[in-house]
Amino acid sequence: MKYLKFDTPAIKHAADYKSNFGLANHGLVHIDTVYWNLPTPALVEEAVFRGEGKLVNGGAFQVYTGKWTARAANDKYFVKEDSTEQMIDWGVYNRPMTPEKFNGLFSRLQSFWQGEELFVQDLYAGADPEYRLPVRIITDKAWTAHFSRNMLLAETDLAKLKQFVPDFTIMVSPKFKVDPRIDGTLSETAIVINFAQRLAIIAGSEYAGEVKKSIFTIMNFLMPLQDVMSMHCSANVGDDGDVALFFGLSGTGKTTLSADPKRKLIGDDEHGWSDNGVFNYEAGCYAKAIRLSAEAEPEIHACTYRFGTILENVVYDLASRQLDLDDERITENTRLSYPLEFIPNAVKEKMVKTQPKNIIFLTADAQGVLPPIARLNMNQAIYHFISGYTSKIAGTELGLGIEPEITFSACFGAPFMVHHPYFYANLLRQKAERSGATIWLVNTGWVGGKFGVGKRISIRHTRAMLNAALEGKLDNAKFRTDKLFGFEIPMSCPGVPEEVFEPSNAWGNKKDYWKKYDALVSRYIENFKLFADFVPDEVKKAGPKRLNQLGEEL
């Protein structure tokens, strides 16, 4: 459009909210027009004007992201340099890139952007002023700027915007492709974080989750160095100030279960836990949209038809602009991004100055063998936190099929953790022991058999059990000790049939149940060998036992 010399909707006020710390400080020069800190309505106008997406019924902005409908999990890199090399847990999720390769990639991006139009958003990650990180997002897509503004805390004070200096900068260019021959990458997509230069580059992917998770990864490195527990969890708080944390991977129910009308939402995905309390890293939510229903999740469903929401890869009818939230033809991983204040009972400050009372580990057990809820002692909790067992749900990463895939994701978020898992686990122990929190394992997966045989646990039953746990109604309940894991399982709960608490009851053949349960224990034990050299003996001893170790046969 710039070649035809059309004025875009925001061209006349593109620099009204410009920071004095300009793009030349990032080595970006000869840029056509820079749109500085545009508010949401202006960003939506720009995105529609540029054909980046459509407005649909109710006013939400809908966008298709092309090839990239999920995170490119194999394309994330960290620059390996002296100041941070010893602090990063190098491995499958944390791949190294040399400074020379990064500098070459960055110089090509600088050239690529010459003569282009860019959008800048100066924002903050972290609601606690003591720990917040000034972040600058630079992108060539208006809707990516809108997404960033939804998800992080915006500065509205013009004087402060003028003086804004980023502590970390993220450059996002979906059309800029890296070259594996030159850059040593696995594909034309790359997400590269350079802690020495406080700079990240997201190239070759339009999927907005890459922006969100890159910021989370950065916070996961920086915050623990300040004695802040960095967590892949949702959080809510009761009327008495009792905070609950919900750890879990995508698809396990973090967003759904924390959006409880009885409690106030602090945030749905990423938090810090300091001596001050619990604070959200974000200002928005990035929820799964597939098969959302007004009956089961009314607060989230209502956001699908609000102006300011972004709908990512959600199918709609072009003529009527009506959404079809059940249509998965593009991806199972359809998403909506919306400001946290769209949830009626959200905590306005996005932080609370009380310590957690309950910690919930969410797992979607596709084997159908784990109990619906269990209470863990501290060593069991550390074992399960480091293990991070769940099932990857279709669509959340490129390459996943329809059937859930067993996975162990350390800290319930291994792809985003930069330090060694025990570094986070030990910090969790310190915080939880100090706060006296009760720790629960909640299965949001299958009952009566594995995926394809059994059925997904009733969300109504899960909510009833969680409410009982958070309200203290399970404190004096009768518990039984699980034969293999040793954790405590309540024998009853108000509003839940008693047979639900013995998972084998739902299986047609109990011998098949124990065979499958024992096989899962075997996977736990094998996975934990990766961490055994780094954890104390009491944690290793808190792990599960095979049936033959107990002197029993199948």
Side-chain angles (χ1 to χ4, degrees), residues 361 363-365 368-373 441-447 457 462:
F361 297 157
T363 179
D365 174 32
V369 294
L370 283 178
I373 188 169
L441 180 69
V442 171
N443 175 19
T444 61
W446 280 257
V447 291
I457 287 175
T462 300

Side-chain angles (χ1 to χ4, degrees), residues 105-330:
L105 189 158
F106 181 33
S107 67
R108 294 204 317 280
L109 176 59
Q110 290 169 315
S111 299
F112 180 80
W113 269 348
Q114 288 192 16
E116 295 295 323
E117 298 179 319
L118 298 180
F119 294 85
V120 178
Q121 287 288 314
D122 290 330
L123 307 159
Y124 297 100
D128 187 337
E130 188 173 337
Y131 297 106
R132 70 181 187 181
L133 181 75
V135 178
R136 172 168 287 175
I137 311 292
I138 306 172
T139 177
D140 45 28
K141 291 281 187 180
W143 87 267
T144 305
H146 175 192
F147 175 85
S148 304
R149 193 173 182 89
N150 270 4
M151 300 307 297
L152 293 180
L153 295 112
E155 179 60 75
T156 55
D157 186 314
L158 178 58
K160 290 181 180 177
L161 277 175
K162 293 284 186 189
Q163 300 302 317
F164 187 95
V165 177
D167 199 16
F168 225 102
T169 300
I170 299 176
M171 301 184 179
V172 189
S173 183
K175 291 182 180 177
F176 175 70
K177 292 178 171 55
V178 301
D179 188 333
R181 299 166 302 174
I182 300 171
D183 302 309
T185 55
L186 296 175
S187 74
E188 294 180 329
T189 298
I191 300 93
V192 192
I193 298 173
N194 187 331
F195 285 110
Q197 295 185 26
R198 311 291 268 196
L199 174 64
I201 294 173
I202 299 172
S205 173
E206 194 165 354
Y207 178 63
E210 299 290 12
V211 178
K212 170 185 164 67
K213 290 307 185 186
S214 292
I215 295 166
F216 183 42
T217 301
I218 291 162
M219 295 294 278
N220 282 338
F221 178 77
L222 297 175
M223 289 296 102
L225 300 178
Q226 300 181 58
D227 197 38
V228 174
M229 178 59 190
S230 194
M231 307 176 293
H232 189 214
C233 74
S234 58
N236 63 26
V237 60
D239 292 337
D240 296 331
D242 56 305
V243 174
L245 305 177
F246 300 79
F247 286 87
L249 266 72
S250 180
T252 56
K254 288 195 315 299
T255 300
T256 300
L257 294 171
S258 58
D260 183 342
K262 292 183 178 180
R263 298 170 65 83
K264 291 182 178 178
L265 181 68
I266 305 170
D268 81 323
D269 198 40
E270 304 170 4
H271 292 83
W273 179 359
S274 73
D275 291 343
N276 298 341
V278 173
F279 63 97
N280 198 341
Y281 285 167
E282 302 180 301
C285 298
Y286 189 51
K288 292 196 77 171
I290 196 70
R291 290 178 289 278
L292 260 181
S293 76
E295 294 73 32
E297 299 166 271
E299 295 89 358
I300 301 172
H301 184 272
C303 297
T304 62
Y305 46 86
R306 284 194 63 169
F307 180 81
T309 292
I310 297 171
L311 299 165
E312 201 176 27
N313 298 311
V314 173
V315 175
Y316 74 103
D317 178 68
L318 183 60
S320 68
R321 302 297 170 100
Q322 295 290 335
L323 302 174
D324 185 350
L325 297 175
D326 297 329
D327 195 324
E328 59 187 46
R329 77 179 77 167
I330 296 171

Side-chain angles (χ1 to χ4, degrees), residues 537-553:
D537 288 340
E538 60 265 25
V539 173
K540 285 182 270 191
K541 290 175 182 175
K545 303 288 189 294
R546 299 288 305 273
L547 279 172
N548 59 12
Q549 290 177 283
L550 299 171
E552 297 188 26
E553 296 182 2

